[in-house]
Amino acid sequence: MKLLFVNMTPIFHNSSAIHRMCGIISGARKNGHTCDLLTLRADKKDFAYDDSRKEFLKENIDHYYTIKKTFLYDRLSAKKQSDAKGERSAGSMSKRRSGYRRYIKNIIRNIFELLFVYDLQCMNSKQVIKLELDYTKYDKIISISDPKSSHDIVFKLLKYKKISNIDSKWIQYWGDPWLNDVMREGLRWKKLIRYKEKRLLRHACRIVYTNPFTLDAQIKEYPAYSSKMMYINQTADVQEKKTEILESNKRYIGYFGDYGSNFRNIQPLYRYCIKNNIHLYIAGRSSDYLVETETVKIKGRLSQRDVSRMEDEASVLISICNKNGTQIPGKVFYQAGYQKPMIIILDGEFKEKMRAYFDSFDRYILCENNEESISKAIDKAFKEIKTGKRYRLDKRLTEKYGAEKILE
């Protein structure tokens, strides 16, 4: 089949949506399909710019189409970029910023976020109608969120009659649901979000979620579209992974992911490692301030190349589940290809169901989000290192399987 992938995050950004998309593209190529990509044009000045996917683009994408950012989006997103460069997770307090222009920009941005239910990227989605592209040649069009505007861009093509027969070819791959997104703050515009989400789902031929818990919640929310819904596990990163753990007697644990206290509680892990002089590296975005120590090092957002290097060097990889909701951190799946222990710290109201789900892969060490349980999990991980345990990658986490399930 000839496939078009749509994602409003540039491929040269490091994000979970890009990881998820690249896994399906790689699997589709291995299954004999051809893949094109439509996305937002990358800007090397963006705080999230990351050229690690250049070779992937050359090897897996036949045609690469981009749309330009609008001037207004560029100006409003400047605040986000500025905040990300100076965020507290880098181990130092944000520098004080002031100025009349910034104040006005913040007001405009806040008004937009209050009045509109899409992310800021929706400012760019209408740009797609300027693109000269024959959409009839594609057997399937796969839009991948987040951001939610990844789906809106296909809806715009439908709205402006740039595409036909969409009901038989549009696959929506949702990283997070919309109405029930744990990252969405507040309850504003709840009815409008439900209406817009329902409108998107109506036009899909297949709606894909990343785990069975989100699938169940979405079926309950939108039962009329349950026959279109399914889930597939996110796939493991297939890049070459080091199988030998260096300095295994040095307790080097790596946590690489966002950890804002509003959705994820890193404090028990952080406190335990400080008290017990365990070497822990934390890299990811957060507005929370963590103090570095001799054994605990704090980094901000890193490029995919730097994250991969740190993952290679870590003896143990660790993930923390969300405090609420059905979503699962993507790192749980992306890192599964490593021949090293992986600890998942369970949390939230679905933790017992998630325990049974993770156990089915025969891959992870599971624990509660408290210091005593984390201690036992870390001890078990280093015992597995000493015994030279080998880890089997479940078929359900492979790229070929994931792509096959989405496209069948």
Side-chain angles (χ1 to χ4, degrees):
M1 288 193 289
K2 191 165 185 61
L3 310 174
L4 175 66
F5 290 83
V6 179
N7 194 323
M8 283 297 280
T9 299
I11 193 171
F12 298 123
H13 281 199
N14 180 16
S15 74
S16 291
I18 295 300
H19 268 287
R20 196 179 326 112
M21 179 183 73
C22 289
I24 297 303
I25 289 175
S26 178
R29 295 285 292 194
K30 291 174 181 176
N31 288 329
H33 304 295
T34 60
C35 303
D36 292 353
L37 175 62
L38 168 59
T39 187
L40 190 67
R41 190 167 302 172
D43 186 341
K44 292 183 179 180
K45 296 179 181 179
D46 286 350
F47 77 95
Y49 183 80
D50 181 353
D51 65 359
S52 304
R53 300 285 183 183
K54 279 187 176 180
E55 288 303 313
F56 178 90
L57 189 68
K58 291 178 182 178
E59 294 172 1
N60 294 278
I61 302 298
D62 293 276
H63 298 95
Y64 176 46
Y65 305 101
T66 62
I67 59 175
K68 296 174 65 174
K69 295 186 291 186
T70 64
F71 175 79
L72 181 58
Y73 170 81
D74 198 40
R75 300 314 302 158
L76 291 181
S77 62
K79 172 183 179 292
K80 181 179 179 182
Q81 298 195 43
S82 178
D83 287 348
K85 289 177 182 178
E87 57 195 349
R88 294 180 178 179
S89 60
S92 62
M93 295 293 288
S94 300
K95 296 180 180 179
R96 297 182 62 186
R97 305 180 184 91
S98 60
Y100 179 75
R101 289 184 179 179
R102 179 174 175 79
Y103 178 72
I104 296 297
K105 187 188 300 179
N106 289 352
I107 291 176
I108 296 173
R109 180 184 173 91
N110 289 337
I111 290 174
F112 178 90
E113 291 180 343
L114 177 67
L115 296 179
F116 294 86
V117 296
Y118 273 106
D119 49 85
L120 282 179
Q121 288 278 25
C122 74
M123 292 181 173
N124 302 314
S125 58
K126 194 174 179 180
Q127 297 285 89
V128 73
I129 65 176
K130 300 177 182 179
L131 191 65
E132 295 297 326
L133 181 58
D134 178 15
Y135 298 98
T136 62
K137 64 184 179 181
Y138 296 107
D139 299 292
K140 298 293 180 185
I141 296 174
I142 302 118
S143 58
I144 300 171
S145 61
D146 284 316
K148 308 296 188 293
S149 51
S150 299
H151 305 304
D152 181 57
I153 198 171
V154 181
F155 186 79
K156 288 288 195 301
L157 292 171
L158 179 65
K159 179 179 178 181
Y160 290 97
K161 303 186 185 305
K162 293 288 184 176
I163 197 167
S164 58
N165 299 325
I166 193 67
D167 294 5
S168 64
K169 63 174 62 177
W170 186 8
I171 298 173
Q172 297 173 9
Y173 191 7
W174 292 78
D176 295 308
W178 196 352
L179 181 65
N180 296 315
D181 187 351
V182 69
M183 298 296 289
R184 189 174 61 84
E185 297 180 1
L187 296 174
R188 63 176 183 261
W189 305 119
K190 187 172 182 179
K191 290 184 178 180
L192 182 57
I193 291 175
R194 180 183 281 110
Y195 166 76
K196 287 183 174 289
E197 186 171 18
K198 188 175 181 179
R199 184 176 63 177
L200 289 173
L201 300 179
R202 182 188 310 134
H203 291 287
C205 71
R206 179 162 294 164
I207 305 158
V208 184
Y209 298 106
T210 58
N211 65 73
F213 316 110
T214 299
L215 174 62
D216 289 344
Q218 290 299 96
I219 287 175
K220 290 178 182 177
E221 193 72 53
Y222 304 104
Y225 307 115
S226 60
S227 62
K228 301 180 181 183
M229 295 179 177
M230 63 172 289
Y231 86 91
I232 62 162
N233 304 291
Q234 298 179 69
T235 61
D237 192 338
V238 296
Q239 298 178 30
E240 286 293 324
K241 299 297 184 185
K242 291 182 179 178
T243 58
E244 294 183 4
I245 296 174
L246 304 177
E247 301 181 75
S248 60
N249 60 332
K250 181 180 178 180
R251 294 195 164 203
Y252 173 7
I253 296 171
Y255 175 85
F256 309 115
D258 297 340
Y259 56 95
S261 59
N262 61 315
F263 65 94
R264 205 167 286 162
N265 181 16
I266 200 173
Q267 289 295 331
L269 172 67
Y270 174 72
R271 290 194 302 265
Y272 175 78
C273 289
I274 290 176
K275 291 177 183 178
N276 294 275
N277 294 318
I278 292 176
H279 291 263
L280 169 67
Y281 271 75
I282 299 172
R285 292 182 297 179
S286 177
S287 60
D288 304 326
Y289 179 55
L290 298 181
V291 179
E292 277 197 347
T293 69
E294 289 187 7
T295 57
V296 177
K297 304 302 180 184
I298 314 295
K299 305 292 182 182
R301 183 181 186 133
L302 300 176
S303 70
Q304 181 55 42
R305 185 179 292 108
D306 287 339
V307 170
S308 294
R309 175 182 55 78
M310 294 180 73
E311 287 175 344
D312 286 345
E313 294 172 353
S315 299
V316 179
L317 297 169
I318 198 159
S319 296
I320 303 173
C321 291
N322 295 334
K323 293 161 66 174
N324 304 103
T326 61
Q327 291 305 97
I328 295 171
K331 293 287 185 182
V332 168
F333 305 100
Y334 309 147
Q335 297 173 337
Y338 276 108
Q339 280 300 325
K340 58 182 66 178
M342 292 184 65
I343 296 173
I344 301 176
I345 299 177
L346 300 169
D347 210 340
E349 67 269 36
F350 295 97
K351 66 180 180 181
E352 292 309 317
K353 290 183 178 180
M354 288 187 180
R355 185 191 302 276
Y357 170 67
F358 291 135
D359 273 339
S360 74
F361 295 105
D362 191 27
R363 173 65 182 90
Y364 306 106
I365 299 170
L366 308 177
C367 68
E368 300 286 327
N369 202 0
N370 61 64
E371 293 181 44
E372 181 181 359
S373 187
I374 290 171
S375 172
K376 293 177 181 178
I378 291 174
D379 287 344
K380 182 177 181 181
F382 280 93
K383 286 178 182 177
E384 290 183 355
I385 291 173
K386 289 180 180 179
T387 60
K389 181 175 179 177
R390 304 293 295 176
Y391 302 95
R392 177 183 64 87
L393 183 63
D394 192 289
K395 175 185 176 181
R396 294 169 292 169
L397 301 181
T398 62
E399 294 175 332
K400 288 186 69 173
Y401 181 85
E404 180 182 333
K405 297 298 290 183
I406 279 186
L407 297 170
E408 66 180 9

